[in-house]
């Protein structure tokens, strides 16, 4: 037997990112008795999405009870928490589990490189420090982290006011008494629009295409509700009920097929909500009615968007912006709109998974070159040729409830790393045959959904669906438990 395989293995793990998934990964390692890990974070504090997305009105689309760890309760103030409360929750969890000593802030990862000879990784970061070698790497950067900025903003322009992407909100940027242009009508946009309408002098909403929208039913918890939520059985019952509702909605892909019961029921509810809210504005009903299949793109939830559109301060412009002038924006019709500031709610480069750093695997192969902007992975987590490398919230794992997926992926990664250490193994890798069979099967199922019929960020350049998981959370959790030992080999 070779010396490499007989020496005792002490795992040393690098985690990239301190958002929900990074914290889930760190806790899973701790539960397995693995304490030697470093968490790299490019920002000056933890939080990931909820540190970067701090625009006015930013809050989660899922209920607080389900958008949180199953093992960490919290005294939520709202049914749907805002960014600051979610950030506070993550800080609370990180402190409770002793994660801060493991974190390295203002330390952006530039490259992760596998050594065929040593069977470990080197992580190169922005500081240039030598962080030592790592037996495994867990990427927890997600995929919605590279803002899409229109060309007319990237190029030189004359606009004199502030321009800000929702994920790069500038602290102190004030919308009060401003004429505000909002580019986009997605989830971030509708939240910004509601706040802009409250304080701005005028709001112009530039819409390329309307989205399907459902009421959010968000509200502050009453003092009695918060008191009941502090009682563990009540808290867990509410969480379980939400989980079961989402699981049933996604059972057998019912939410993503036009003939699915869930899809039909929710589409009907969306249409009824649209017509009820805009009953006195038939002009807006026409402009706000989508032409694509329900759920073909991310469905927006909001209690305030339609009422905001009816405000005399708000104008819905059914055209994209094509350029900027010194004092405003020029739409596709050539009309100029006078604006004091512009908010880009233009989304992210979703096909660019792990787009903030490079990954080199066996033989120096570049992961992004092998993906060619159409990423795939076994269960969204492992790619052949990149041993000991695990991806959180990877390709084809975008589904709800998100935190359930994070926990399952964290347990998968930590379990695989722990198993390898116990076997004195230095390599954990997915079998290529399993990887190919799995992705062929998954794409065949995805081809039957509404996502395959609609252009969206869910799809890559050739039309391949790269982000979505088509089934329930329970089916994914079960797959991670049953398949880990069958298709992941250690050596």
């Amino acid at each position: 037997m070779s010396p490499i395989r007989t020496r005792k293995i002490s795992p040393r793990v690098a985690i990239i990112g301190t958002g929900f998934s990074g914290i889930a990964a760190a806790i899973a390692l701790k539960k397995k008795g693995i304490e030697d890990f470093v968490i790299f974070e490019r920002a000056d504090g933890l939080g990931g999405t909820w540190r970067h997305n701090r625009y006015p009105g930013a809050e989660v689309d899922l209920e607080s009870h389900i958008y949180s760890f199953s093992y960490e309760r919290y005294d939520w103030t709202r049914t749907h928490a805002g960014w600051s409360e979610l950030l506070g929750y993550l800080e609370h969890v990180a402190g409770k589990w002793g994660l801060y000593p493991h974190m390295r802030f203002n330390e952006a990862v530039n490259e992760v490189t596998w050594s065929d000879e040593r069977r470990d990784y080197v992580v190169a970061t922005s500081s240039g420090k030598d962080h030592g070698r790592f037996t495994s790497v867990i990427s927890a950067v997600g995929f919605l982290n590279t803002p899409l900025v229109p060309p007319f903003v990237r190029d030189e322009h004359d606009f004199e006011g502030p321009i800000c992407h929702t994920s790069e909100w500038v602290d102190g940027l004030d919308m009060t008494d401003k004429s505000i242009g909002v580019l986009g009508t997605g989830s971030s946009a509708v939240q910004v629009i509601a706040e802009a309408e409250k304080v701005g002098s005028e709001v112009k909403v530039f819409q390329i295409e309307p989205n399907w929208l459902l009421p959010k039913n968000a509200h502050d918890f009453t003092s009695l509700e918060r008191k009941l939520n502090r009682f563990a059985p009540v808290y867990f019952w509410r969480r379980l009920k939400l989980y079961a509702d989402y699981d049933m909605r996604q059972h057998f892909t019912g939410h993503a097929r036009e003939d699915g019961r869930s899809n039909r029921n929710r589409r009907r509810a969306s249409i009824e909500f649209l017509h009820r809210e805009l009953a006195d504005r038939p002009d807006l009903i026409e402009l706000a009615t989508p032409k694509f299949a329900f759920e073909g793109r991310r469905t927006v939830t909001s209690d305030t968007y339609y009422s905001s559109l009816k405000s005399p301060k708000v104008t819905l412009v059914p055209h994209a912006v094509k350029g900027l002038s010194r004092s405003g924006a020029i739409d596709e019709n050539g009309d100029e709109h006078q604006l004091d500031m512009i908010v880009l709610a233009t989304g992210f480069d979703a096909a660019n998974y792990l787009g903030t750093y490079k990954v080199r695997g066996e033989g120096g192969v570049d992961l992004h070159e092998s993906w060619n902007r159409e990423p795939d992975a076994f269960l969204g987590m492992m790619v052949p040729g990149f041993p000991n490398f695990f991806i959180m919230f990877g390709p084809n794992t975008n589904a709800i409830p998100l935190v359930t997926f994070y926990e399952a992926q964290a347990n998968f990664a930590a379990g695989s790393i722990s198993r390898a250490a116990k076997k004195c193994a230095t390599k954990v890798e997915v079998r290529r045959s399993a990887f190919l069979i799995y992705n062929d099967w998954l794409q065949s199922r995805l081809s039957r959904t509404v996502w395959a019929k609609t252009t969206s960020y869910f799809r890559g350049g050739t039309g391949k669906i790269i982000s979505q998981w088509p089934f329930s959370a329970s089916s994914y959790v079960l797959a991670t438990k049953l398949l880990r030992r069958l298709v992941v080999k250690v050596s």
Side-chain angles (χ1 to χ4, degrees):
M1 188 176 289
S2 68
I4 288 179
R5 296 193 60 183
T6 56
R7 65 182 174 89
K8 184 178 179 180
I9 303 298
S10 297
R12 185 167 189 263
V13 185
I15 300 172
I16 306 172
T18 60
F20 263 97
S21 59
I23 288 173
I27 292 173
L29 290 174
K30 276 182 166 279
K31 287 181 176 180
K32 287 292 183 180
I34 300 171
E35 294 283 348
D36 190 359
F37 59 88
V38 178
I39 315 174
F40 296 100
E41 173 55 57
R42 61 177 174 168
D44 59 1
L46 64 77
T49 293
W50 301 111
R51 177 165 292 274
H52 297 295
N53 289 269
R54 50 175 67 201
Y55 55 86
E59 69 176 19
V60 69
D61 282 346
L62 298 181
E63 296 84 355
S64 307
H65 281 76
I66 200 70
Y67 195 81
S68 51
F69 297 118
S70 62
Y71 45 81
E72 285 298 342
R73 291 184 292 132
Y74 199 61
D75 183 18
W76 298 108
T77 65
R78 280 180 59 76
T79 55
H80 299 70
W83 71 266
S84 59
E85 187 167 16
L86 286 164
L87 188 58
Y89 172 72
L90 291 176
E91 291 170 343
H92 161 76
V93 173
K96 180 177 177 180
W97 283 88
L99 301 185
Y100 279 105
H102 297 269
M103 295 180 178
R104 306 291 182 268
F105 298 121
N106 296 309
E107 198 71 274
V109 170
N110 296 330
E111 189 166 343
V112 174
T113 305
W114 169 260
S115 168
D116 290 330
E117 180 182 359
R118 296 180 59 105
R119 289 189 166 199
D120 60 13
Y121 281 100
V122 171
V123 177
T125 63
S126 54
S127 70
K129 293 179 182 177
D130 181 359
H131 301 285
R133 309 188 76 90
F134 297 92
T135 56
S136 299
V137 175
I138 301 175
S139 175
V141 299
F143 77 109
L144 298 178
N145 52 30
T146 304
L148 273 180
V149 178
F152 55 79
V153 175
R154 297 196 303 267
D155 298 338
E156 286 190 25
H157 58 78
D158 296 327
F159 184 65
E160 296 179 336
I163 302 176
C164 189
H165 194 280
T166 51
S167 68
E168 298 175 332
W169 195 263
V170 178
D171 286 341
L173 183 59
D174 190 6
M175 298 190 292
T176 303
D177 296 328
K178 300 283 199 317
S179 177
I180 306 153
V182 180
L183 277 59
T185 53
S187 295
S188 298
V190 300
Q191 294 173 353
V192 169
I193 291 163
E195 296 303 309
E197 188 274 333
K198 292 176 185 176
V199 301
S201 61
E202 181 184 28
V203 183
K204 295 285 186 75
V205 181
F206 295 91
Q207 171 186 278
I208 297 177
E209 194 172 4
N211 287 300
W212 291 101
L213 189 144
L214 283 165
K216 195 170 194 174
N217 298 318
H219 61 273
D220 292 341
F221 283 124
T222 65
S223 58
L224 176 59
E225 286 175 318
R226 289 183 67 177
K227 191 173 184 178
L228 289 172
N229 285 338
R230 296 186 192 111
F231 187 45
V234 172
Y235 189 101
F236 288 121
W237 166 250
R238 287 179 172 171
R239 193 179 195 284
L240 178 62
K241 186 177 183 301
L242 289 166
Y243 181 88
D245 287 345
Y246 284 119
D247 232 39
M248 288 303 298
R249 178 190 303 177
Q250 295 163 181
H251 188 59
F252 290 133
T253 326
H255 65 305
R257 290 183 289 105
E258 287 187 278
D259 62 346
R261 180 178 179 183
S262 171
N263 186 284
R264 288 186 283 109
N265 289 343
R266 283 163 53 80
R267 183 182 187 277
R268 185 182 309 112
S270 179
I271 292 172
E272 290 174 355
F273 182 54
L274 169 70
H275 284 260
R276 182 171 66 251
E277 290 290 301
L278 300 178
D280 55 341
R281 290 292 303 276
D283 58 318
L284 287 178
I285 288 178
E286 183 177 355
L287 292 177
T289 301
K291 303 292 191 295
F292 59 91
F294 184 80
E295 291 281 19
R297 296 178 186 145
R298 181 179 175 181
T299 300
V300 177
T301 59
S302 174
D303 300 318
T304 59
Y305 179 59
Y306 290 145
S307 58
S308 295
L309 286 184
K310 294 194 293 183
S311 167
K313 293 196 289 185
V314 177
T315 303
L316 180 60
V317 181
H319 306 292
V321 170
K322 71 173 184 179
L324 301 176
S325 65
R326 184 178 298 277
S327 58
I330 302 169
D331 67 27
E332 286 184 330
N333 273 357
D335 297 326
E336 183 175 359
H337 303 265
Q338 301 297 309
L339 301 170
D340 298 317
M341 63 180 291
I342 294 174
V343 177
L344 303 176
T346 46
F348 300 86
D349 184 4
N352 193 14
Y353 274 78
L354 316 188
T356 57
Y357 63 96
K358 290 184 177 181
V359 183
R360 297 193 183 277
E362 292 178 318
V365 173
D366 185 296
L367 178 59
H368 294 91
E369 289 180 3
S370 66
W371 272 344
N372 193 26
R373 293 188 62 82
E374 293 207 331
D376 49 15
F378 177 74
L379 290 174
M381 288 184 281
M382 299 191 76
V383 180
F386 297 85
N388 303 16
F389 185 78
F390 303 89
I391 307 169
M392 304 283 290
F393 200 20
N396 295 115
T397 63
N398 185 30
I400 52 177
L402 282 176
V403 180
T404 298
F405 282 75
Y406 300 155
E407 289 186 25
Q409 291 158 2
N411 291 336
F412 180 99
S416 298
I417 294 168
S418 175
R419 177 182 168 218
K422 290 176 181 177
K423 290 180 174 289
C424 296
T426 55
K427 257 176 106 173
V428 183
E429 54 192 331
V430 62
R431 300 179 191 276
R432 184 172 292 276
S433 57
F435 167 84
L436 294 173
I437 292 169
Y438 168 80
N439 280 289
D440 284 346
W441 166 80
L442 184 62
Q443 289 300 320
S444 71
R445 299 305 299 262
L446 288 166
S447 67
R448 307 172 194 176
T449 66
V450 292
W451 303 321
K453 305 174 183 178
T454 310
T455 302
S456 72
Y457 72 76
F458 298 161
R459 301 170 68 182
T462 64
K464 176 183 174 181
I465 300 169
I466 59 175
S467 65
Q468 302 305 99
W469 171 256
F471 309 111
S472 67
S474 290
S475 62
Y476 182 83
V477 173
L478 185 62
T480 62
K481 293 180 180 296
L482 293 179
L483 298 179
R484 177 164 60 87
R485 290 182 178 271
L486 291 174
V487 302
V488 176
K489 60 180 180 177
V490 297
S491 60

